Amino acid sequence: MIYLDNSATTKPFPEVVDSFVAVATNYFANPSSLHGLGMKAERLLAQAREQIAAMLRVKPNEIVFTSGGTEANNFAIKGVAWQYQRRGRHIITTEIEHPSVAEPCRQLEELGFEVTYLPVDREGRVSVEQVERALRDDTILVSVMHVNNEVGTVQPIEEIGALLARYPKTLFHVDRVQGISKVPLDLKQAGVDLCTISAHKFHGLRGAGLLYVREGVRLAPLIAGGGQERQLRSGTENVAAIVAMAKALRLALERYERDIGRLQALKDEWLEALSAIPDIEINTPRDGAAPHIINFSLKRGVKPEVFVHELEKSGIYVSTTSACSSKKKAPSKTLLAMGLGEGRAERGIRISLSFDNSQEEIAPAVAAIKQAIKTLSEVTE
C-alpha cells in the first residue's frame, strides 16, 4: 500500500495508540468525579493541557479541548459572533476556507451577519491589502486558514496579524489544521487570537482537537451543560484521546525537526515526476506552499473519482478535493477561486504526504498514475 491521502487523515503513531489504550483501560473515570480514580484522570488531563500549551508556546488556560477541527472552527466563528454581536456583525474570511469555516459563516449570514469572502490570486493566496480594504468599524472577526487543504498554499498569517494589531476590536482566527507540524507558526508573534488544531492530522486519533483562545478573548459557548473546559465547552472530556493527542503532537514536532528537509525534497521529486506527465497540470504553487500537499488536474475526459478507484486497484490511495467534499463531485472551489477554470477544477487530484512516505514510493506510484490515465483515456475515447 502507498498511502498518499494524509491531508484527509494520518495513520496514528503506534505509541499514540498504546497511550490511548493505556489511559482508556486504567484511567477511565470521569475527570469531574470527586473520587481518587476521577482525580487521577483529571491530573492526566491537566498534564496533557500543560504539555500541549508548552509545545504551542501558549498558556494552559488558553487551551480548550474539542472533538476535532470542525467543532473548534464552529466554536471560534459562532462563539465570537454571538459574544461580540453588539460590537459589530461583520466577518471577513476567504473564498477557499474549509467547509467547517465556510458553512458557519453561511449560517451566520442567515441570522443577519454580513460576511466578506476575499478572493485569492492565481496561487491561492489572499493579500494583506485585500484584508485591510475589507475592514470596517463593525468587523469583529477575520478568519484565514494557515495552509490550504487542497493545494497547500501558505497564507500570510504573520502579515495579517501585524495588520490586525492596529485594529484591537477585530479578532483573528486561524484554521491551522493542515499547517501544524508541517509549517511553523508562532501564535503569539503572529497576533493570532483563536487557532484550530485537529489530532488526526498529525498522527493522533479522530475525536480530539482543540481551540486556542487567547487570554482575554471571550466566547459564547456552543455546547451548554456541565461547564467543563472553563464553562466554554461542556461535555465529559475524552481524556484518553486528549492524552494521545499530546503524545502525537510531541512526536510529530520531533519528526518535523528531524525530517522536514527530507519531506520537502520528497515533494520536489514528486512535482518533477508529475510535471513530466503530459496529461497532468500542476495546480500547487511552486513557492510559498506547504511541504506535503500536491494538487494536479487530469486531462479532459478522465473523471477524478474513477481515477481514484483505478489507482486503488494498485494499492495507491489519493483523493480529489478535501475529504469532506470529495463525495459531492462538485468542482473544487479552491481551484475555481484561483481562476483555473471549471474544467480544471472538476478534475483536481490531491496527493498529500507524511513523514512516513519515502522516495521509493514515487516510481511505482507514478507508473500506476500513468497507467490509470492511459486505461481511462482508452475507455472514454
Side-chain angles (χ1 to χ4, degrees), residues 28-34 37-39 41-43 45 236-237 239:
F28 54 84
N30 190 321
S32 297
S33 296
L34 294 178
L37 195 56
M39 293 175 67
E42 184 182 28
R43 283 196 292 271
L45 185 65
T236 302
E237 296 93 342
V239 178

Side-chain angles (χ1 to χ4, degrees), residues 211-271:
L211 180 66
Y212 158 73
V213 183
R214 180 180 58 78
E215 195 170 53
V217 174
R218 299 170 61 194
L219 295 179
L222 294 190
I223 301 175
Q228 291 89 344
E229 295 299 294
R230 295 184 293 113
Q231 306 289 327
L232 290 173
R233 198 274 186 186
S234 293
T236 302
E237 296 93 342
N238 188 350
V239 178
I242 290 168
V243 170
M245 175 167 63
K247 175 162 280 191
L249 183 57
R250 177 177 63 81
L251 294 173
L253 292 176
E254 288 175 358
R255 293 292 299 271
Y256 171 85
E257 293 295 333
R258 187 171 72 245
D259 293 335
I260 188 60
R262 185 185 66 81
L263 183 63
Q264 183 63 61
L266 192 64
K267 177 190 171 184
D268 292 341
E269 289 190 51
W270 264 105
L271 283 170

Side-chain angles (χ1 to χ4, degrees), residues 106-160:
R106 306 285 186 208
Q107 290 180 325
L108 288 173
E109 285 182 290
E110 294 176 1
L111 297 174
F113 287 82
E114 187 175 350
V115 181
T116 298
Y117 298 92
L118 297 177
V120 295
D121 63 18
R122 191 82 174 180
E123 294 189 335
R125 190 170 292 109
V126 69
S127 75
V128 181
E129 292 74 23
Q130 288 173 320
V131 176
E132 186 168 22
R133 286 196 296 269
L135 286 167
R136 306 185 330 203
D137 290 339
D138 62 340
T139 304
I140 56 174
L141 179 68
V142 174
S143 180
V144 179
M145 66 184 357
H146 181 206
V147 171
N148 180 262
N149 55 299
E150 293 190 51
V151 299
T153 303
V154 180
Q155 301 301 330
I157 299 301
E158 292 88 349
E159 292 85 348
I160 295 172

Side-chain angles (χ1 to χ4, degrees), residues 162-337:
L163 165 68
L164 295 178
R166 308 201 305 265
Y167 298 84
K169 292 184 178 181
T170 301
L171 297 175
F172 186 24
H173 168 243
V174 173
D175 175 356
R176 200 187 172 194
V177 167
Q178 290 294 339
I180 185 70
S181 82
K182 301 295 194 305
V183 181
L185 179 67
D186 189 309
L187 298 178
K188 297 294 186 181
Q189 288 187 5
V192 175
D193 299 300
L194 302 148
C195 182
T196 297
I197 291 173
S198 182
H200 75 102
K201 304 296 187 179
F202 50 88
H203 305 278
L205 302 173
R206 286 186 286 274
L210 65 86
L211 180 66
Y212 158 73
V213 183
R214 180 180 58 78
E215 195 170 53
V217 174
R218 299 170 61 194
L219 295 179
L222 294 190
I223 301 175
Q228 291 89 344
E229 295 299 294
R230 295 184 293 113
Q231 306 289 327
L232 290 173
R233 198 274 186 186
S234 293
T236 302
E237 296 93 342
N238 188 350
V239 178
I242 290 168
V243 170
M245 175 167 63
K247 175 162 280 191
L249 183 57
R250 177 177 63 81
L251 294 173
L253 292 176
E254 288 175 358
R255 293 292 299 271
Y256 171 85
E257 293 295 333
R258 187 171 72 245
D259 293 335
I260 188 60
R262 185 185 66 81
L263 183 63
Q264 183 63 61
L266 192 64
K267 177 190 171 184
D268 292 341
E269 289 190 51
W270 264 105
L271 283 170
E272 183 178 354
L274 292 170
S275 298
I277 301 175
D279 299 314
I280 280 178
E281 296 175 290
I282 303 295
N283 300 320
T284 293
R286 293 284 180 170
D287 299 312
H292 64 299
I293 298 176
I294 300 169
N295 190 292
F296 61 88
S297 291
L298 301 164
K299 75 171 189 177
R300 190 177 304 278
V302 177
K303 294 183 178 180
E305 61 272 17
V306 179
F307 176 80
V308 168
H309 291 304
E310 186 67 22
L311 277 186
E312 187 180 351
K313 295 176 183 177
S314 301
I316 297 167
Y317 296 87
V318 301
S319 65
T320 53
T321 58
S322 68
C324 298
S325 305
S326 60
K327 292 183 179 180
K328 296 179 181 178
K329 299 181 182 180
S332 161
K333 70 173 186 177
T334 297
L335 299 183
L336 286 174

